[in-house]
């Protein structure tokens, strides 16, 4: 048995009655973020160190803005600020000169409506009447028992009584407030089967999947197009923290997140269909480092942009929890030598990858798509006895994988033929 976390979004059906109160909380969260941002900048300028969330909470606990929100909501704002600084600092450490620290939350001369999170002590759920009571901070209460009572509606297939609600978030999206319920439950699904699949992650093809007898490529073209488009559009902004730049960042992040969700979902669905119980993913932990020197590897201007823009870790996390819900175990294995070795006979030669998308083995004459060959080698990391047959198996699937493209109109992956037909 294992625990699983899910987030369910709901519309607020009494929007008009609660909007003003939620606006106040959203503005208050932005003000507290900015106070914390100012303090963090001071510490960075003086010491060269970023304060962690514990220091931020201790320093700002007595600040007037802290008590605009419930204490747990204020804590979460400062935790998010610390996480954003850590993310920026990590990118700097990995040589990303384009990375910028988290900015102040401003919308012209006013504050935007930030997400407000309510932990266990900050909300009370009433499942019978599908409503939730959200706590205000002391400064915003008109009287001691003042709170916000939101009536909500989820998708018909969602029953929150089956879940343990850990957190409620009030999120402002498309000119209205919505609720997100972060829930936990215990699951114990039966695995779909005993087969093993391997996943090779890369730049041109975001994922190549080998099922051992058939293979599928998932090109990252749509993601690359977005990265280039939004980078170019943002470069035209006079101020990287302007309203337009912020809008572009949010749109790009939303599209990238949707791409990663759609890709992880379709790969898990393919595994279920084929009775896969173990999914082996190439570990890209050292992808930014040179094999020999250990220094940051230079992939060229376009390659570096792709590499830093693509959230490989995020994708693996999404794949992991979606697979867990289906009883599929996800393992990570080193990708070392998987691009140099023949997945049929095991012969290793760094010159066998004759061009970007083609792998030719001089030992057994196997011709394969290079990414599929890598995915099959990753699969064999947990099935090492496979590469012993000297090419007796039918290996056509190594050279001719199915290709599934991201269909923008449908927001999902589909066979190349279907996507092309819809576009034409």
């Amino acid at each position: 048995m294992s625990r699983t976390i899910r987030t369910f979004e709901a519309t607020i059906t009494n929007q008009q009655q609660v909007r003003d109160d939620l606006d106040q909380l959203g503005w208050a969260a932005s003000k507290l973020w900015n106070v914390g941002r100012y303090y963090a900048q001071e510490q960075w300028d003086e010491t060269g160190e970023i304060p962690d969330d514990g220091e931020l909470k201790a320093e700002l606990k007595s600040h007037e803005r802290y008590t605009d929100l419930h204490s747990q909501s204020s804590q979460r704002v400062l935790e998010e600020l610390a996480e954003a600084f850590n993310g920026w600092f990590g990118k700097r450490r990995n040589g990303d000169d384009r990375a910028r620290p988290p900015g102040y939350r401003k919308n012209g001369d006013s504050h935007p409506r930030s997400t407000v999170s309510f932990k266990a002590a900050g909300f009370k759920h009433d499942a019978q009447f599908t409503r939730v009571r959200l706590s205000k901070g002391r400064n915003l209460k008109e009287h001691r028992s003042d709170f916000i009572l939101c009536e909500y509606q989820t998708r018909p297939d969602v029953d929150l009584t089956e879940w343990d609600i850990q957190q409620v978030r009030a999120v402002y999206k498309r000119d209205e407030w919505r609720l997100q319920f972060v829930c936990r439950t215990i699951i114990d699904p039966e695995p779909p089967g005993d087969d093993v699949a391997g996943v090779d992650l890369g730049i041109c093809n975001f994922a190549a999947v080998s099922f051992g007898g058939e293979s599928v490529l998932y090109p990252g073209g749509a993601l690359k197009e977005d990265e280039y488009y939004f980078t170019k559009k943002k470069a035209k902004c006079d101020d990287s923290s302007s309203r337009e730049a912020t809008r572009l960042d949010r749109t790009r992040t939303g599209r990238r997140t949707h791409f990663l969700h759609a890709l992880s979902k379709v790969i898990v669905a393919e595994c279920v269909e084929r009775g896969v119980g173990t999914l082996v993913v190439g570990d890209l932990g050292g992808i930014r480092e040179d094999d020999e020197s250990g220094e940051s590897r230079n992939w060229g201007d376009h390659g570096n942009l792709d590499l830093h823009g693509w959230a490989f870790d995020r994708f693996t996390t999404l794949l992991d929890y979606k697979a867990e819900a289906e009883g599929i175990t996800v393992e990570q294995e080193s990708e070392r030598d998987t691009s140099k070795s023949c997945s049929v006979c095991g012969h290793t030669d760094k010159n066998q990858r004759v061009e970007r998308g083609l792998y030719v083995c001089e030992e057994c004459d196997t011709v394969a798509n290079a990414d599929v060959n890598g995915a099959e080698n990753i699969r064999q990391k947990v099935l090492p006895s496979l590469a012993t047959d000297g090419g007796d198996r039918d290996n056509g699937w190594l050279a001719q994988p199915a290709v599934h493209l991201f269909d923008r109109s449908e927001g999902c992956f589909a066979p190349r033929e279907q996507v092309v037909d819809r576009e034409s």
Side-chain angles (χ1 to χ4, degrees):
M1 291 189 296
S2 60
R3 292 179 177 179
T4 186
I5 303 292
R6 293 290 183 274
T7 299
F8 302 107
E9 190 162 284
T11 57
I12 298 177
T13 56
N14 62 335
Q15 185 86 205
Q16 187 173 355
Q17 287 77 21
V18 301
R19 184 185 181 96
D20 289 345
D21 284 336
L22 290 174
D23 281 348
Q24 279 192 314
L25 294 187
W27 291 326
S30 290
K31 293 175 185 176
L32 178 60
W33 172 283
N34 290 343
V35 169
R37 173 66 177 79
Y38 182 81
Y39 174 77
Q41 185 68 53
E42 283 188 322
Q43 295 302 302
W44 171 258
D45 292 340
E46 292 177 9
T47 67
E49 299 289 335
I50 300 295
D52 61 19
D53 63 292
E55 181 180 344
L56 287 171
K57 294 172 188 175
E59 182 65 27
L60 301 178
K61 189 172 183 178
S62 58
H63 196 282
E64 183 180 8
R65 297 284 70 83
Y66 192 91
T67 47
D68 287 344
L69 301 172
H70 185 276
S71 60
Q72 290 186 342
S73 299
S74 294
Q75 290 169 14
R76 184 56 193 148
V77 170
L78 298 179
E79 289 167 1
E80 290 173 354
L81 178 61
E83 291 166 2
F85 265 111
N86 286 335
W88 162 68
F89 196 67
K91 290 179 179 178
R92 276 176 54 105
R93 191 167 52 238
N94 287 330
D96 185 357
D97 296 332
R98 294 188 312 277
R100 295 291 179 267
Y104 290 93
R105 290 183 174 173
K106 288 190 175 295
N107 185 3
D109 295 329
S110 62
H111 293 88
R113 301 169 177 86
S114 290
T115 295
V116 184
S117 299
F118 304 85
K119 298 181 182 179
F123 72 89
K124 186 173 182 180
H125 182 234
D126 182 351
Q128 181 179 358
F129 295 101
T130 58
R131 59 191 184 185
V132 62
R133 190 177 75 185
L134 306 177
S135 296
K136 295 182 177 181
R138 186 170 67 246
N139 289 348
L140 299 184
K141 285 185 178 181
E142 294 183 3
H143 49 81
R144 184 177 179 84
S145 61
D146 191 14
F147 54 81
I148 307 173
L149 188 62
C150 295
E151 299 170 1
Y152 70 86
Q153 182 177 9
T154 60
R155 298 195 319 261
D157 60 317
V158 175
D159 183 0
L160 292 180
T161 62
E162 298 177 351
W163 296 81
D164 179 14
I165 302 175
Q166 301 291 295
Q167 187 180 141
V168 178
R169 302 188 193 118
V171 182
Y172 192 73
K173 299 172 67 174
R174 296 183 288 277
D175 297 326
E176 70 172 17
W177 284 97
R178 300 177 69 86
L179 295 177
Q180 292 179 349
F181 294 90
V182 182
C183 305
R184 182 181 67 186
T185 193
I186 304 296
I187 61 172
D188 188 20
E190 288 290 328
D194 298 324
D195 287 344
V196 178
V199 181
D200 178 85
L201 300 178
I203 291 179
C204 285
N205 291 310
F206 193 94
V209 185
S210 169
F211 297 101
E214 57 181 322
S215 54
V216 184
L217 293 181
Y218 298 94
L223 199 58
K224 288 177 67 177
E225 290 168 8
D226 278 353
E227 291 299 319
Y228 290 130
Y229 171 79
F230 285 104
T231 298
K232 186 175 180 179
K233 294 288 286 186
K234 190 175 178 182
K236 296 180 180 179
C237 296
D238 296 331
D239 183 356
S240 62
S241 60
S242 67
R243 182 176 182 179
E244 175 63 10
T246 300
R247 184 192 69 80
L248 289 169
D249 280 340
R250 288 177 178 171
T251 304
R252 173 170 58 181
T253 298
R255 289 171 69 133
R256 180 171 56 193
T257 298
H258 179 74
F259 178 97
L260 298 177
H261 270 288
L263 178 55
S264 53
K265 180 179 179 180
V266 73
I267 289 177
V268 170
E270 296 278 358
C271 288
V272 171
E273 182 179 331
R274 291 166 173 79
V276 171
T278 302
L279 190 56
V280 190
V281 183
D283 184 358
L284 293 173
I287 193 171
R288 289 183 174 85
E289 296 180 356
D290 186 88
D291 289 341
E292 298 178 0
S293 69
E295 297 180 356
S296 182
R297 185 182 300 178
N298 186 2
W299 297 80
D301 292 340
H302 293 311
N304 288 333
L305 176 63
D306 294 340
L307 191 62
H308 292 298
W310 288 14
F312 290 117
D313 290 342
R314 174 64 173 153
F315 170 74
T316 304
T317 299
L318 294 174
L319 189 67
D320 189 48
Y321 88 71
K322 285 182 170 65
E324 179 188 42
E326 298 292 345
I328 299 171
T329 300
V330 175
E331 300 181 9
Q332 284 194 288
E333 293 284 348
S334 170
E335 285 202 350
R336 183 171 295 278
D337 291 335
T338 56
S339 64
K340 304 173 185 177
S341 301
C342 176
S343 59
V344 175
C345 71
H347 179 68
T348 300
D349 184 342
K350 65 180 181 180
N351 296 319
Q352 292 186 158
R353 186 163 177 160
V354 297
E355 59 183 71
R356 192 182 194 95
L358 183 65
Y359 182 94
V360 178
C361 179
E362 297 178 355
E363 188 74 16
C364 68
D365 296 328
T366 290
V367 177
N369 176 281
D371 293 329
V372 171
N373 181 70
E376 176 62 9
N377 277 324
I378 291 168
R379 191 178 82 94
Q380 291 179 20
K381 291 276 188 174
V382 297
L383 296 169
S385 62
L386 286 180
T388 59
D389 57 19
D392 291 337
R393 293 181 296 156
D394 178 8
N395 298 315
W397 61 276
L398 288 169
Q400 296 179 319
V403 178
H404 290 189
L405 300 177
F406 185 70
D407 187 342
R408 292 188 185 278
S409 63
E410 299 292 331
C412 62
F413 282 86
R416 183 202 298 269
E417 299 78 15
Q418 294 182 17
V419 177
V420 171
D421 285 346
R422 277 195 284 266
E423 290 179 349
S424 59

